[in-house]
Amino acid sequence: MNVDQIRRTINDELYIEGVGLHSGNKTYLLCKPAPPYTGILFTRESKYPGEFIEAIAENVVDTSLAVTLGNGKWRVQTIEHLMSALHMLGITDIFIDTSNIEIPILDGSAGEFIQQFQQIGIRNYPDDIIEGITIKNPIWVIDGDKYLIALPANHFEVSYNIHFEHPLLKGQNYHAVIDRNHFLEEIARARTFGFLSQVEYLKSKGLALGGSIENAIVLDDKGYLNPSLRYENECVRHKVLDLIGDLSLTGRPILGHIIANKAGHALDVAMAKKILKIDKENQFTSKQIRNYQSVRMLDPISSSAVH
Ligand SMILES: [Zn+2]
């Protein structure tokens, strides 16, 4: 089955502003169309002109609270919701100039990114292809009772289970074949979530300063502090959104069934790296087999050895 997709960029420049979840500071992005095969490149022209960080797994430098990319000199953090939006809209080539270290949190989901990209418009590069990755054999990453498994499948499919010591989140699960429409309807608007005690602790450490019920689901001991939820099981759906953003750091669409139990950014990024490593080995092996076969066909000595 073919998983390759055509490459896409945005129609015009797009300015997105909001606050950083952790810094609480105002932050903005200036997104610009890019030629085919550029990839997704973060820049910070005001401070590091001419430099960029590509949104790929090997540039991840931290996964503790959010996904952070870095190049040794500067960083860009909390990229996952933006990455999820770009990936599911099929935007493969774009420059994203950042005003400081954080991507704006907006409403805590991918919904507002999606809306703004759709408003500015998305353009196809019909002659330019991004090659997909097909999961051929099971691949897994494990950390105690947390794990991610990728299995061969005819679709991109996710089964996700979360479990927290909280009456509402003792077990929430979600399973679906996820294409663009499904994502837009069922996943994109699911907001990030946190526990009040944890948010207060993070704030005392100078983190999550921009976090509020405006951009996150917050739970106290008894229930949700937000007046309403956007979906049933919104928390596990947000974990699916994060997973898709993190796996997009392979830089390629994936054909396979991802099974997740209590996973998070660290495991997601480890899985993205493992999928890439195995795909590279497979390509290398099939190239070797092809070369070996052509050598045997051309080489009379080897050929005669067959008889
Ligand atoms: Zn998230």
Side-chain angles (χ1 to χ4, degrees):
M1 193 173 171
N2 189 6
V3 247
D4 299 349
Q5 292 179 4
I6 52 167
R7 305 189 73 97
R8 306 176 98 193
T9 192
I10 50 174
N11 269 338
D12 205 348
E13 290 192 358
L14 172 65
Y15 180 80
I16 301 176
E17 72 172 6
V19 295
L21 178 62
H22 290 295
S23 64
N25 292 334
K26 213 168 186 185
T27 171
Y28 71 80
L29 307 177
L30 182 60
C31 306
K32 299 176 192 166
Y37 303 102
T38 301
I40 295 170
L41 300 189
F42 288 98
T43 60
R44 193 174 305 155
E45 288 296 336
S46 59
K47 238 179 147 186
Y48 302 98
E51 293 189 18
F52 63 84
I53 302 175
E54 189 176 6
I56 49 170
E58 70 181 64
N59 289 334
V60 173
V61 291
D62 191 7
T63 53
S64 49
L65 290 168
V67 177
T68 303
L69 302 175
N71 66 358
K73 265 165 88 178
W74 54 280
R75 293 175 166 217
V76 51
Q77 78 181 39
T78 325
I79 60 161
E80 55 269 22
H81 307 159
L82 169 63
M83 290 302 297
S84 202
L86 291 169
H87 184 74
M88 291 309 296
L89 290 172
I91 299 171
T92 51
D93 301 290
I94 188 169
F95 297 110
I96 302 169
D97 194 43
T98 57
S99 64
N100 66 36
I101 191 168
E102 267 192 294
I103 301 298
I105 189 68
L106 303 181
D107 67 348
S109 78
E112 288 191 15
F113 288 117
I114 299 258
Q115 214 177 8
Q116 300 209 39
F117 287 128
Q118 284 182 324
Q119 244 161 31
I120 204 82
I122 298 162
R123 178 158 38 108
N124 289 340
Y125 288 122
D127 299 328
D128 300 294
I129 296 295
I130 181 154
E131 208 183 320
I133 300 178
T134 300
I135 305 294
K136 295 190 174 124
N137 293 297
I139 302 172
W140 59 89
V141 286
I142 297 176
D143 175 16
D145 63 345
K146 303 170 183 170
Y147 57 77
L148 278 174
I149 305 170
L151 297 174
N154 290 326
H155 308 94
F156 177 68
E157 191 175 344
V158 175
S159 303
Y160 210 120
N161 180 57
I162 58 173
H163 181 95
F164 292 90
E165 287 308 321
H166 187 280
L168 294 176
L169 296 182
K170 276 210 165 3
Q172 250 189 31
N173 45 66
Y174 192 78
H175 170 244
V177 168
I178 299 177
D179 60 8
R180 186 168 300 150
N181 281 341
H182 183 92
F183 182 83
L184 298 182
E185 295 288 319
E186 305 290 342
I187 308 286
R189 295 179 64 253
R191 293 163 294 176
T192 189
F193 62 97
F195 300 98
L196 188 61
S197 51
Q198 180 197 11
V199 174
E200 281 165 350
Y201 172 77
L202 287 173
K203 284 194 176 174
S204 75
K205 298 270 169 201
L207 296 164
L209 297 177
S212 73
I213 58 168
E214 302 300 314
N215 54 32
I217 299 170
V218 182
L219 299 104
D220 68 5
D221 293 346
K222 294 180 202 86
Y224 299 107
L225 299 187
N226 309 66
S228 61
L229 294 186
R230 293 176 170 180
Y231 305 100
E232 188 204 353
N233 292 354
E234 186 170 347
C235 295
V236 70
R237 289 179 198 234
H238 184 79
K239 297 291 282 185
V240 175
L241 187 160
D242 277 345
L243 172 70
I244 291 172
D246 295 346
L247 291 182
S248 78
L249 294 169
T250 55
R252 320 242 301 266
I254 293 171
L255 188 71
H257 180 184
I258 313 291
I259 300 169
N261 188 54
K262 299 167 73 173
H265 297 307
L267 275 183
D268 297 353
V269 172
M271 178 57 108
K273 287 183 177 169
K274 201 162 176 183
I275 288 174
L276 278 177
K277 183 171 170 265
I278 289 171
D279 184 66
K280 208 170 169 185
E281 283 165 7
N282 286 343
Q283 280 183 8
F284 183 68
T285 315
S286 49
K287 211 167 159 189
Q288 272 184 325
I289 291 169
R290 276 201 307 275
N291 286 347
Y292 178 69
Q293 283 169 341
S294 52
V295 165
R296 282 179 72 99
M297 280 168 71
L298 290 173
D299 180 351
I301 299 168
S302 303
S303 303
S304 61
V306 174
H307 298 296

